Every structure is written in structure tokens, then in C-alpha cells.
Amino acid sequence: MASAPEDEFSQPQRPPSPPPHTTFAARGIHPPNFSAFKPKDFRHPTPQAITHVAWNCDGRKLAGVGVDKTVKVWNPDKTLEYRSAQVYSGGHSDDVDYVCWNPTHPELFCSSSQRDRRIVFWDARQSRFIQQCTLKVTPTYTQYSPDGRSLLFVTAAHQLMFMSYGKEPEEVKEQWQIKTLSNQKDSVGSKAIFNHTGDGLVVAFHSEHTLRVLDYPSLEVRDSPAAHVGGCMALALDPRGRCLASGGLDSIVNLFDMRDWIVARTITACENSVNDLSFSHDGEFLAIASTGAYIDICAVETGAPLHRIPALAPSPTVSWHPSKYAVAYCGQIKAREGGPPPAAIISMFGLLE
């Protein structure tokens, strides 16, 4: 990747970005009236929190995990009620923490559990898992490569590890296998994402103030831009490939220009540590989940705050629909004296029609 003249990180072939602070009207953009939307909150009768939600690539399915040993998948066009979910069980022996959809196929996804140390691969059209991988390490986070044939996962010890989909000469069918890379032992982080072409990674570490831009699969460090005081907690890649967003313990969101890795804009709308970030399908809006009981929506080109969604609880994650102006998020209502019992929450904001 480092020697390629047209890699995604430099992107000389990309058209120039609009000038900073260009208005929506000047660019022919008609943003939705976010203030007209109302959040729809669905309470699930369990004392455990929903820890992660994710859309599949065509936006017809939303998966959630964290409540128990299963993965639940909803059709959001209908409802997110507890009993309406398709339940996928048998792959894990303990609580599931994370779920990730294959970007190339709307029915394929994987789930991971820190407690049973497994990554399990599923086909949503089948009730039984496709493959169950038991690890010697504890997986905390997963992400597919753009072609869906590689998977990175971060361990509880903050090490980056990888799996690939293929077959050895003596094997009959393709399956997921651990992939060992040459510089893997030196690669640490708490969050990492592939670039759009799959030949690079951006890595964040919650105890470091800089990001690391790596070639893949060599894992050689290409750049290390300063990002946050106290550490970075979240990363998101603009679907247009123009910028990368990082969110930190300092409650700040930085928007990096991916050509020279300088901060083009800073978003300061949030008052709490950032948990997660997500770009809208057109790259115009950024949703921010934090340790506060709200979701912020900001304009990417200007960094201006546009709307604050009131939430019933802080959300560990937020996810834009892949083609519509709708966001999904989750959390847990804690028990209060004289109040209702604790409940897991999955919420939707925006329009799916």
C-alpha cells in the first residue's frame, strides 16, 4: 500500500472537498428537519443492558446483543419489540458483547463474547451458526474488511488480531482461520477500522493521545497524528472517503483530512466522553454517542451541532441506517427507588419510510 500512488489515504484522484463552512444550500443539500422526529424507545424486560446494535448492509435488518447468550435481529420497518426479534442461539455459552455484519452480504454476520472467548459466524437465513471459533484471547471488538474476507478483532489486552476466510490445500471448503501477521505483536489498540480499500488501518488506543495509520497487511506505521488529550475511544470513516472522525475522553470529536492527516474541523457539541461515532450514508451528518443521556447530530462540513436526541440512558453505540436518515442506539435504564425495574433499551430516531 505504501508504494501505490493511488491508495485511499492519499487519494490524489479524489475531487477537492468543498470549502470549510459551506452551507447545505450552497451545495444543493436538503437536510431533514431533525427536530420534527421523535425517538422511539423500546424497553426489553431484562436487568442487563443491550451493549451493541448494528445495521446490515441493505438496512433491512438491525442486530442487537448484550442481553443474554443470543443475538437478536429485528426488521425495523415493523417494530423493535422484544418478542418480534429473530433469535440466534447455540453459538455462545455466555453473554454476547458485540455484533458485526459482513459488508458484502446482507445475511452474514458475526458475534463475539468476552466471557466465552468465542467469535461465531452466522447466516441470518439459518438458525444454527455457520462456524464457531474458540480463542485463547478475549475479543472485545470486531470489524470486517471491505471485501468481507478478513476480520480484525481487538483483545481485552489491547492487541490487534486478524482472521481470514479461505481454505488450505487439504481442506474441502472455505472457513475462517486465525491469520498471523509479521508485525502483529507490536500492534496495540482499543479500536481499529479498515479504510475503504482494505489496504490500511486506522488504530486508536484509549491511553494514547495519537492515532496510528497503518499499512495492511504489513502493519507498518505510516502516520501518527495527534488526536485527543487522555486517549481516543471511537473512530468512524466518512463513506465518501474524505475524512475520519475520532472521539475522545476529552469529549471532543476531531475530523481529520485523510490526505495529510491534519484536523480539518473540531466538534465540541458534546459535554461527555465520547463512546461511539457514526456517519450518515451520504457523509453529511455525524452522530455522537457519549456517557451522557443523549445523542448529538452534527454537520460534517461545518462541525455545527444540528440536533440533540434525548435518550433514556447513555448509549455505548450509535449507528446510522446505510441509506436513510435514521439512527439506532441502545442502553439500559437503571433501577431507581420507587421507580420501574431496570430494563434494556433499543431506540430509533428518524424515518425509515
Side-chain angles (χ1 to χ4, degrees), residues 8 21 24 60 102 133 140 168 177 187 189 240 245 267 287 307 327 334 341 350:
E8 181 179 277
H21 309 298
F24 289 116
R60 295 181 180 179
N102 190 306
C133 301
T140 61
E168 299 296 332
Q177 305 174 63
S187 298
R240 299 172 296 187
I267 297 174
H307 187 71
V327 292
K334 296 182 179 180

PDB file of all heavy atoms in Angstrom, residues 8 21 24 60 102 133 140 168 177 187 189 240 245 267 287 307 327 334 341 350:
ATOM      1  N   GLU A   8      -5.898   4.891  -0.772  1.00  0.00           N
ATOM      2  CA  GLU A   8      -7.016   5.689  -0.268  1.00  0.00           C
ATOM      3  C   GLU A   8      -6.569   6.800   0.674  1.00  0.00           C
ATOM      4  O   GLU A   8      -7.183   7.858   0.743  1.00  0.00           O
ATOM      5  CB  GLU A   8      -7.997   4.779   0.472  1.00  0.00           C
ATOM      6  CG  GLU A   8      -9.186   5.554   0.985  1.00  0.00           C
ATOM      7  CD  GLU A   8     -10.176   4.673   1.685  1.00  0.00           C
ATOM      8  OE1 GLU A   8     -10.982   4.057   1.016  1.00  0.00           O
ATOM      9  OE2 GLU A   8     -10.125   4.623   2.921  1.00  0.00           O
ATOM     10  N   HIS A  21     -17.107  25.190   6.000  1.00  0.00           N
ATOM     11  CA  HIS A  21     -18.239  26.037   6.381  1.00  0.00           C
ATOM     12  C   HIS A  21     -19.164  26.349   5.202  1.00  0.00           C
ATOM     13  O   HIS A  21     -19.898  27.320   5.236  1.00  0.00           O
ATOM     14  CB  HIS A  21     -17.766  27.332   7.042  1.00  0.00           C
ATOM     15  CG  HIS A  21     -16.798  27.106   8.156  1.00  0.00           C
ATOM     16  ND1 HIS A  21     -17.132  26.406   9.282  1.00  0.00           N
ATOM     17  CD2 HIS A  21     -15.510  27.474   8.312  1.00  0.00           C
ATOM     18  CE1 HIS A  21     -16.080  26.352  10.093  1.00  0.00           C
ATOM     19  NE2 HIS A  21     -15.085  26.987   9.525  1.00  0.00           N
ATOM     20  N   PHE A  24     -25.424  24.026   3.523  1.00  0.00           N
ATOM     21  CA  PHE A  24     -26.146  22.972   2.816  1.00  0.00           C
ATOM     22  C   PHE A  24     -26.750  23.512   1.522  1.00  0.00           C
ATOM     23  O   PHE A  24     -26.697  22.870   0.477  1.00  0.00           O
ATOM     24  CB  PHE A  24     -27.255  22.404   3.712  1.00  0.00           C
ATOM     25  CG  PHE A  24     -26.753  21.577   4.849  1.00  0.00           C
ATOM     26  CD1 PHE A  24     -26.957  21.967   6.164  1.00  0.00           C
ATOM     27  CD2 PHE A  24     -26.097  20.384   4.612  1.00  0.00           C
ATOM     28  CE1 PHE A  24     -26.495  21.204   7.214  1.00  0.00           C
ATOM     29  CE2 PHE A  24     -25.636  19.599   5.657  1.00  0.00           C
ATOM     30  CZ  PHE A  24     -25.835  20.011   6.958  1.00  0.00           C
ATOM     31  N   ARG A  60     -32.121  -3.579   6.017  1.00  0.00           N
ATOM     32  CA  ARG A  60     -33.384  -4.263   6.288  1.00  0.00           C
ATOM     33  C   ARG A  60     -33.384  -5.006   7.615  1.00  0.00           C
ATOM     34  O   ARG A  60     -34.430  -5.460   8.070  1.00  0.00           O
ATOM     35  CB  ARG A  60     -33.697  -5.247   5.159  1.00  0.00           C
ATOM     36  CG  ARG A  60     -33.943  -4.569   3.823  1.00  0.00           C
ATOM     37  CD  ARG A  60     -34.266  -5.568   2.737  1.00  0.00           C
ATOM     38  NE  ARG A  60     -34.507  -4.900   1.460  1.00  0.00           N
ATOM     39  CZ  ARG A  60     -34.794  -5.541   0.336  1.00  0.00           C
ATOM     40  NH1 ARG A  60     -34.880  -6.862   0.330  1.00  0.00           N
ATOM     41  NH2 ARG A  60     -34.993  -4.861  -0.783  1.00  0.00           N
ATOM     42  N   ASN A 102     -21.345  -8.543   7.782  1.00  0.00           N
ATOM     43  CA  ASN A 102     -20.460  -8.587   6.628  1.00  0.00           C
ATOM     44  C   ASN A 102     -20.886  -7.491   5.642  1.00  0.00           C
ATOM     45  O   ASN A 102     -22.060  -7.421   5.270  1.00  0.00           O
ATOM     46  CB  ASN A 102     -20.545  -9.964   5.964  1.00  0.00           C
ATOM     47  CG  ASN A 102     -19.484 -10.183   4.917  1.00  0.00           C
ATOM     48  OD1 ASN A 102     -19.328  -9.394   3.991  1.00  0.00           O
ATOM     49  ND2 ASN A 102     -18.744 -11.278   5.040  1.00  0.00           N
ATOM     50  N   CYS A 133     -15.669 -20.220  16.501  1.00  0.00           N
ATOM     51  CA  CYS A 133     -14.221 -20.144  16.713  1.00  0.00           C
ATOM     52  C   CYS A 133     -13.941 -19.832  18.177  1.00  0.00           C
ATOM     53  O   CYS A 133     -14.263 -18.737  18.661  1.00  0.00           O
ATOM     54  CB  CYS A 133     -13.606 -19.071  15.823  1.00  0.00           C
ATOM     55  SG  CYS A 133     -13.882 -19.332  14.052  1.00  0.00           S
ATOM     56  N   THR A 140     -12.997  -8.160  22.168  1.00  0.00           N
ATOM     57  CA  THR A 140     -13.852  -7.067  22.640  1.00  0.00           C
ATOM     58  C   THR A 140     -14.522  -6.298  21.509  1.00  0.00           C
ATOM     59  O   THR A 140     -15.514  -5.600  21.744  1.00  0.00           O
ATOM     60  CB  THR A 140     -13.040  -6.064  23.478  1.00  0.00           C
ATOM     61  OG1 THR A 140     -12.000  -5.495  22.663  1.00  0.00           O
ATOM     62  CG2 THR A 140     -12.413  -6.739  24.696  1.00  0.00           C
ATOM     63  N   GLU A 168      -7.251 -24.084   3.108  1.00  0.00           N
ATOM     64  CA  GLU A 168      -5.938 -24.648   2.870  1.00  0.00           C
ATOM     65  C   GLU A 168      -6.058 -25.702   1.761  1.00  0.00           C
ATOM     66  O   GLU A 168      -7.145 -26.188   1.460  1.00  0.00           O
ATOM     67  CB  GLU A 168      -5.396 -25.278   4.158  1.00  0.00           C
ATOM     68  CG  GLU A 168      -5.232 -24.300   5.313  1.00  0.00           C
ATOM     69  CD  GLU A 168      -4.209 -23.222   5.026  1.00  0.00           C
ATOM     70  OE1 GLU A 168      -3.272 -23.494   4.243  1.00  0.00           O
ATOM     71  OE2 GLU A 168      -4.347 -22.110   5.570  1.00  0.00           O
ATOM     72  N   GLN A 177     -10.172 -18.559   9.620  1.00  0.00           N
ATOM     73  CA  GLN A 177      -8.987 -19.033  10.326  1.00  0.00           C
ATOM     74  C   GLN A 177      -8.193 -17.850  10.868  1.00  0.00           C
ATOM     75  O   GLN A 177      -8.211 -16.765  10.285  1.00  0.00           O
ATOM     76  CB  GLN A 177      -8.093 -19.845   9.380  1.00  0.00           C
ATOM     77  CG  GLN A 177      -8.797 -21.007   8.701  1.00  0.00           C
ATOM     78  CD  GLN A 177      -7.908 -21.682   7.684  1.00  0.00           C
ATOM     79  OE1 GLN A 177      -6.869 -22.242   8.024  1.00  0.00           O
ATOM     80  NE2 GLN A 177      -8.292 -21.624   6.418  1.00  0.00           N
ATOM     81  N   SER A 187       1.414  -4.361  17.406  1.00  0.00           N
ATOM     82  CA  SER A 187       0.204  -3.589  17.092  1.00  0.00           C
ATOM     83  C   SER A 187      -0.785  -3.664  18.247  1.00  0.00           C
ATOM     84  O   SER A 187      -1.367  -4.717  18.510  1.00  0.00           O
ATOM     85  CB  SER A 187      -0.449  -4.124  15.809  1.00  0.00           C
ATOM     86  OG  SER A 187       0.423  -3.981  14.727  1.00  0.00           O
ATOM     87  N   GLY A 189      -4.068  -1.543  20.392  1.00  0.00           N
ATOM     88  CA  GLY A 189      -5.108  -0.549  20.239  1.00  0.00           C
ATOM     89  C   GLY A 189      -6.369  -0.999  20.941  1.00  0.00           C
ATOM     90  O   GLY A 189      -6.508  -2.157  21.332  1.00  0.00           O
ATOM     91  N   ARG A 240     -17.727   8.824   2.051  1.00  0.00           N
ATOM     92  CA  ARG A 240     -17.159   9.424   0.846  1.00  0.00           C
ATOM     93  C   ARG A 240     -15.641   9.322   0.816  1.00  0.00           C
ATOM     94  O   ARG A 240     -15.011   9.642  -0.194  1.00  0.00           O
ATOM     95  CB  ARG A 240     -17.571  10.900   0.768  1.00  0.00           C
ATOM     96  CG  ARG A 240     -19.062  11.123   0.687  1.00  0.00           C
ATOM     97  CD  ARG A 240     -19.429  12.592   0.816  1.00  0.00           C
ATOM     98  NE  ARG A 240     -19.076  13.136   2.122  1.00  0.00           N
ATOM     99  CZ  ARG A 240     -19.400  14.356   2.536  1.00  0.00           C
ATOM    100  NH1 ARG A 240     -20.083  15.152   1.732  1.00  0.00           N
ATOM    101  NH2 ARG A 240     -19.059  14.783   3.730  1.00  0.00           N
ATOM    102  N   ALA A 245     -13.367  10.530  11.549  1.00  0.00           N
ATOM    103  CA  ALA A 245     -13.755  11.155  12.812  1.00  0.00           C
ATOM    104  C   ALA A 245     -13.207  10.341  13.968  1.00  0.00           C
ATOM    105  O   ALA A 245     -13.239   9.107  13.952  1.00  0.00           O
ATOM    106  CB  ALA A 245     -15.277  11.252  12.916  1.00  0.00           C
ATOM    107  N   ILE A 267     -15.358  19.273  16.604  1.00  0.00           N
ATOM    108  CA  ILE A 267     -16.731  19.362  17.103  1.00  0.00           C
ATOM    109  C   ILE A 267     -16.701  19.347  18.620  1.00  0.00           C
ATOM    110  O   ILE A 267     -16.133  18.432  19.233  1.00  0.00           O
ATOM    111  CB  ILE A 267     -17.590  18.200  16.574  1.00  0.00           C
ATOM    112  CG1 ILE A 267     -17.689  18.276  15.043  1.00  0.00           C
ATOM    113  CG2 ILE A 267     -18.981  18.210  17.199  1.00  0.00           C
ATOM    114  CD1 ILE A 267     -18.399  17.097  14.412  1.00  0.00           C
ATOM    115  N   ALA A 287     -23.304  11.294  13.928  1.00  0.00           N
ATOM    116  CA  ALA A 287     -23.997  11.045  15.194  1.00  0.00           C
ATOM    117  C   ALA A 287     -22.969  10.681  16.253  1.00  0.00           C
ATOM    118  O   ALA A 287     -22.029   9.926  15.997  1.00  0.00           O
ATOM    119  CB  ALA A 287     -25.016   9.921  15.036  1.00  0.00           C
ATOM    120  N   HIS A 307     -28.787  18.897  16.142  1.00  0.00           N
ATOM    121  CA  HIS A 307     -29.883  18.395  16.969  1.00  0.00           C
ATOM    122  C   HIS A 307     -29.322  17.504  18.074  1.00  0.00           C
ATOM    123  O   HIS A 307     -28.341  16.797  17.872  1.00  0.00           O
ATOM    124  CB  HIS A 307     -30.883  17.599  16.120  1.00  0.00           C
ATOM    125  CG  HIS A 307     -32.105  17.190  16.859  1.00  0.00           C
ATOM    126  ND1 HIS A 307     -33.082  18.081  17.251  1.00  0.00           N
ATOM    127  CD2 HIS A 307     -32.520  15.967  17.306  1.00  0.00           C
ATOM    128  CE1 HIS A 307     -34.046  17.429  17.890  1.00  0.00           C
ATOM    129  NE2 HIS A 307     -33.717  16.147  17.933  1.00  0.00           N
ATOM    130  N   VAL A 327     -31.186   6.747  12.896  1.00  0.00           N
ATOM    131  CA  VAL A 327     -30.114   6.212  13.730  1.00  0.00           C
ATOM    132  C   VAL A 327     -30.694   5.252  14.757  1.00  0.00           C
ATOM    133  O   VAL A 327     -31.811   5.433  15.250  1.00  0.00           O
ATOM    134  CB  VAL A 327     -29.306   7.317  14.449  1.00  0.00           C
ATOM    135  CG1 VAL A 327     -28.515   8.136  13.460  1.00  0.00           C
ATOM    136  CG2 VAL A 327     -30.203   8.207  15.282  1.00  0.00           C
ATOM    137  N   LYS A 334     -31.440   2.112  34.578  1.00  0.00           N
ATOM    138  CA  LYS A 334     -31.103   1.543  35.874  1.00  0.00           C
ATOM    139  C   LYS A 334     -32.265   1.683  36.846  1.00  0.00           C
ATOM    140  O   LYS A 334     -33.094   2.579  36.720  1.00  0.00           O
ATOM    141  CB  LYS A 334     -29.852   2.219  36.443  1.00  0.00           C
ATOM    142  CG  LYS A 334     -28.607   1.985  35.591  1.00  0.00           C
ATOM    143  CD  LYS A 334     -27.385   2.626  36.208  1.00  0.00           C
ATOM    144  CE  LYS A 334     -26.141   2.358  35.359  1.00  0.00           C
ATOM    145  NZ  LYS A 334     -24.932   2.977  35.951  1.00  0.00           N
ATOM    146  N   PRO A 341     -38.634  -1.231  37.251  1.00  0.00           N
ATOM    147  CA  PRO A 341     -37.452  -2.097  37.317  1.00  0.00           C
ATOM    148  C   PRO A 341     -36.476  -1.775  36.193  1.00  0.00           C
ATOM    149  O   PRO A 341     -36.847  -1.131  35.202  1.00  0.00           O
ATOM    150  CB  PRO A 341     -38.047  -3.498  37.158  1.00  0.00           C
ATOM    151  CG  PRO A 341     -39.340  -3.294  36.443  1.00  0.00           C
ATOM    152  CD  PRO A 341     -39.856  -1.970  36.924  1.00  0.00           C
ATOM    153  N   GLY A 350     -35.595   8.977  13.606  1.00  0.00           N
ATOM    154  CA  GLY A 350     -35.600   9.285  12.183  1.00  0.00           C
ATOM    155  C   GLY A 350     -36.712   8.541  11.474  1.00  0.00           C
ATOM    156  O   GLY A 350     -37.603   7.969  12.096  1.00  0.00           O
TER     157      GLY A 350
END
